[in-house]
Amino acid sequence: MGETRADLWSHPKLVSAVATEDWGAVFRTYRQLTGLSQTKLGERVGLIQPEVSTIERGRRRVTSVEVRQRIVDRLRIPEHLLATDRPRAGSPVPALAVPGPGPDDDLLARVTSVVDGEHRVDAVTLDWFDRLLAEHRRAEDEIGSRPLVGLIRQQLRTVVDLYGGARGPLADRVVRLASEHAQFLAWMAQDQGQTAAALAWYDRSHEWALEAGDTNMAATTLSMKAHMAWSGGRGDRCVRLAEAARWSAPGTSLGVQGMAAQMAARGHALNGDADDAERLLDEAQELIGRAAQHPEDEPPWMYFYGETWFTLQRGMAALHLRDWKVAITRLTVGLAALSDDYRRDKTWYRACLAHALAEAGEAAQAASVALAAVPDAADIGRPHSWNELHTVAAVLMRRGAKEARELVAALRAYD
C-alpha cells in the first residue's frame, strides 16, 4: 500500500491512535499502511531505528514536546485529529475515539469537581457517562477493541472515584455504571484472546451488578461467560452457564432472556445436538421478536441484538452441525444485511462463511471470501477471525484445492 494514499489519516486505527497519543500505535499502523521500514520512518521523524522500535513496543514513551511536534509535522498529521486539551490526572477522558460532542464546560467542571471530592455527583454527570460508554461500544464495533482499552480503563477509574460523592439512588447508578464498564472491558479482553483477564472482569461486573440490583447485567455476564466457553469449544459448559443466566436472574428483559436461550443453543450445536439447538433457537427468536416491539425496555448494550444478528447465529449453528448448505445461505443473507458499522463482526462472519464454503467443496468461492477478509482480520480480527481464516486454509489444503496456496501466502504476508 503506497504512502501517498489519500485516505491515510481517515483510517480508524490511526485516528484513534493519534487521538489518544499512543505514538507506538501511530508508528506501527503508519508503517503497515505505507510500507515504510522502522529505519525509513525514523529518518522521516528524526529518530534512529532502535528508538522507533522501543516506542512501537511500548518501552519508551514520547514525553518531549519537541519530539511530539516533529512527529506531527513530518508525518503531516491533520490538526483536527490532535487532542488540544490534555486531561489532567484523575479527570475523565473525553470521547476522543468516537464522533459526537464531549461534555460542555459546565458539565466537565462538575465531573472534575466530583472526582476531586468538592461536590456530590448528580444525575446529569451520570447521564453523560452513560452516553459516553454507549458511543465507545459502537466505536469498538468498527475499530476493534485494542484502541479503546486504555480509554475504558481510565473511565472506569473515574466512575469508581465518583462513588465517594454519590448518595442514595445515585450511588446505585454509579455501581451499575461501574458494572457496565467492567463488562465492556471483559468483552474486549475476550476479543483479544485474554481469557483470564476476561473472566476476572466478568466476575467483577457480575458482583457489581448484583450489588446494584441490575438483573439484566448479572444475567448478561453469565451469558458472555457462556460465549467464552463456546469460543473455547466447551459445549457443555456453554449450556450450563447459559441456563444459569436464565434462572439465576429473574425479571430480565426479553432480549436478555433471548440472548441466554441463544447461548444455550450454541452449546448444543457445538455438541452436535441438533434438536435441542433448533428448539432453543426458535425460543430465542420468539423472545427477540417480542423484544423488538419494545426496544425501550432493553438495556443499552443490547443494541446489536436483532433479526440480522439472529440470522447470522442460525448460520453459525448450522456450521457447527455441519449443515454446510444452510450455513452458507444464512451467513450470506445475514452478511448482506449487516451494516458496515459492524466491521469486526463482518470480518468474523465472512471468515465463517469462507469456512462453510470450503467444507462444501466450493474452493474458489471460499478463497475469494477469505482473501477479501484477510486485511481486516489482520487489523482488528485477531485472534478469532484470524484463526478461522487459517482453518479455511487448512480445509482447502486438505481437499487439495489449488486456491489454498494463494490464501496461505496472503496470511503469511500479514503474520
Side-chain angles (χ1 to χ4, degrees):
M1 194 174 295
E3 62 184 80
T4 58
R5 177 177 156 178
D7 60 345
L8 178 68
W9 291 107
S10 65
H11 191 280
K13 199 168 182 180
L14 264 184
V15 170
S16 179
V18 171
T20 56
E21 300 214 354
D22 182 348
W23 299 112
V26 170
F27 283 3
R28 287 192 304 274
T29 307
Y30 187 92
R31 289 198 310 104
Q32 181 185 11
L33 296 174
T34 62
L36 287 182
S37 66
Q38 289 184 343
T39 299
K40 290 295 186 182
L41 178 62
E43 291 173 357
R44 182 165 297 188
V45 299
L47 297 170
I48 60 175
Q49 184 273 329
E51 292 175 320
V52 173
S53 177
T54 56
I55 290 171
E56 285 194 359
R57 288 182 292 166
R59 295 185 178 180
R60 173 185 169 184
R61 296 181 62 192
V62 176
T63 57
S64 165
V65 174
E66 188 273 333
V67 172
R68 175 187 181 275
Q69 192 59 47
R70 199 163 66 226
I71 293 170
V72 170
D73 292 342
R74 297 186 184 180
L75 296 186
R76 299 182 179 179
I77 299 176
E79 190 69 28
H80 71 274
L81 298 183
L82 298 165
T84 55
D85 296 314
R86 307 290 299 278
R88 60 186 179 79
S91 65
V93 178
L96 298 175
V98 296
D104 57 34
D105 291 341
D106 176 66
L107 177 55
L108 185 57
R110 207 178 322 176
V111 174
T112 303
S113 67
V114 170
V115 173
D116 288 342
E118 297 174 8
H119 299 287
R120 292 182 178 181
V121 68
D122 58 25
V124 176
T125 300
L126 298 183
D127 287 344
W128 179 72
F129 273 103
D130 279 333
R131 183 176 66 82
L132 184 61
L133 181 58
E135 293 288 347
H136 279 136
R137 285 195 187 102
R138 292 182 179 274
E140 193 263 345
D141 289 327
E142 185 171 355
I143 67 176
S145 57
R146 285 176 176 82
L148 292 171
V149 172
L151 284 171
I152 302 304
R153 282 180 175 272
Q154 179 60 45
Q155 282 175 208
L156 176 56
R157 284 193 290 268
T158 303
V159 169
V160 171
D161 286 341
L162 293 177
Y163 185 74
R167 299 292 183 272
L170 291 180
D172 288 339
R173 277 198 64 185
V174 172
V175 177
R176 176 192 58 76
L177 192 56
S179 177
E180 290 188 32
H181 279 76
Q183 183 266 341
F184 190 33
L185 284 167
W187 164 251
M188 291 192 289
Q190 179 180 341
D191 180 57
Q192 296 175 40
Q194 300 168 1
T195 302
L199 287 172
W201 279 118
Y202 278 134
D203 286 343
R204 178 57 61 86
S205 175
H206 187 76
E207 177 185 339
W208 278 335
L210 292 176
E211 182 180 343
D214 188 341
T215 57
N216 282 324
M217 178 53 75
T220 296
T221 55
L222 291 173
S223 286
M224 297 312 295
K225 289 175 77 171
H227 175 69
M228 285 190 66
W230 169 82
S231 297
R234 304 172 66 185
D236 289 340
R237 178 171 171 78
C238 177
V239 172
R240 288 197 301 270
L241 285 166
E243 291 298 335
R246 304 185 76 186
W247 61 256
S248 65
T252 54
S253 73
L254 292 172
V256 170
Q257 293 173 39
M259 172 188 279
Q262 181 271 143
M263 288 292 178
R266 281 190 185 189
H268 285 297
L270 193 60
N271 288 340
D273 301 330
D275 290 343
D276 284 335
E278 288 297 330
R279 172 179 57 81
L280 284 164
L281 284 169
D282 289 342
E283 182 178 342
Q285 189 159 18
E286 188 270 336
L287 287 165
I288 292 166
R290 290 166 57 196
Q293 297 174 17
H294 298 282
E296 69 280 2
D297 294 336
E298 296 301 316
W301 60 86
M302 295 295 292
Y303 65 92
F304 65 92
Y305 213 98
E307 286 298 322
T308 295
W309 185 84
F310 197 81
T311 299
L312 291 164
Q313 293 310 304
R314 282 193 177 272
M316 290 301 302
L319 184 66
H320 289 313
L321 294 168
R322 304 180 67 81
D323 189 342
W324 312 126
K325 183 177 180 180
V326 171
I328 291 167
T329 298
R330 286 175 171 166
L331 288 170
T332 300
V333 171
L335 276 165
L338 189 62
S339 168
D340 289 338
D341 291 339
Y342 294 93
R343 179 176 168 231
R344 183 202 57 241
D345 288 348
K346 272 205 162 184
T347 303
W348 163 248
Y349 290 118
R350 280 172 177 158
C352 293
L353 174 59
H355 185 181
L357 287 163
E359 294 282 11
E362 302 290 344
Q365 195 174 353
S368 176
V369 172
L371 286 167
V374 166
D376 280 344
D379 185 19
I380 64 171
R382 298 176 190 260
H384 305 293
S385 299
W386 192 247
N387 290 345
E388 191 72 5
L389 290 177
H390 278 273
T391 299
V392 175
V395 172
L396 292 175
M397 290 177 66
R398 186 176 71 242
R399 290 176 168 270
K402 65 180 186 300
E403 292 85 358
R405 187 173 301 174
E406 184 180 2
L407 178 56
V408 169
L411 292 168
R412 285 177 176 170
Y414 280 90
D415 272 333

